[in-house]
Amino acid sequence: MKDHYVVCGIGMVGLYIVHELYQTKYHLIAVDNDESKTEILKAHKLNLDLVVGDATENEVLEMAMVRHAKGLFATTNSDNDNIVISLTAKQLNPELRVIARCNDTKNIDKIRRAGADGVVALNYIGGLRMASEMVRPT
């Protein structure tokens, strides 16, 4: 596989990303350390490869062919893991575009310095969106 996307962490956020990429016909590989995520992917009718392992490890990202990937999503529930995934992925493929999830806004700069090209703080963005929906519904 070449010019594909790697999604690290198949929780709720990762599952939405995988679903969107799959439905829009992008090539992708999912990575998660929980083998039962295979059944979740199948239950959502997502027929794609799942690399089972810790995405913070070089060998696991190599199995996901990160050196040939176009982009990577670091979507685990752990900011620390997302920092390490971003750093490791960029070391393996400096041209890779990395988008990382951030739970605690104080870690945004750390994740960027680790190599993420974009950082999405879900709670922050969600809060802003909800406030906007309330005070500017149109």
Side-chain angles (χ1 to χ4, degrees):
M1 195 173 290
K2 187 176 177 184
D3 291 332
H4 61 289
Y5 294 95
V6 178
V7 182
C8 300
I10 308 302
M12 291 303 296
V13 174
L15 190 58
Y16 283 124
I17 293 168
V18 165
H19 186 266
E20 177 65 18
L21 294 175
Y22 188 82
Q23 293 299 317
T24 53
K25 310 258 189 267
Y26 285 96
H27 298 288
L28 69 135
I29 296 176
V31 179
D32 199 284
N33 53 12
D34 182 356
E35 192 171 351
S36 71
K37 299 295 173 137
T38 302
E39 297 307 316
I40 292 170
L41 293 171
K42 286 180 183 176
H44 286 87
K45 296 179 175 54
L46 300 169
N47 183 25
L48 55 102
D49 294 324
L50 174 69
V51 173
V52 178
D54 183 350
T56 65
E57 300 288 334
N58 289 31
E59 298 79 23
V60 173
L61 291 180
E62 292 279 10
M63 288 173 28
M65 295 177 270
V66 75
R67 289 186 197 272
H68 304 290
K70 186 174 191 174
L72 178 140
F73 297 89
T75 67
T76 73
N77 290 326
S78 164
D79 286 354
N80 289 337
D81 284 351
N82 292 336
I83 288 169
V84 175
I85 292 167
S86 298
L87 179 65
T88 304
K90 280 291 195 167
Q91 286 176 339
L92 294 172
N93 181 352
E95 302 302 314
L96 185 70
R97 179 154 172 80
V98 175
I99 306 300
R101 170 185 177 173
C102 179
N103 296 307
D104 189 338
T105 54
K106 72 179 181 189
N107 292 325
I108 291 173
D109 189 51
K110 291 177 188 174
I111 297 172
R112 283 194 197 284
R113 283 187 276 139
D117 298 290
V119 180
V120 178
L122 301 178
N123 293 333
Y124 176 73
I125 289 173
L128 290 179
R129 178 69 182 107
M130 289 178 73
S132 177
E133 186 68 29
M134 179 59 74
V135 298
R136 291 181 294 280
T138 58

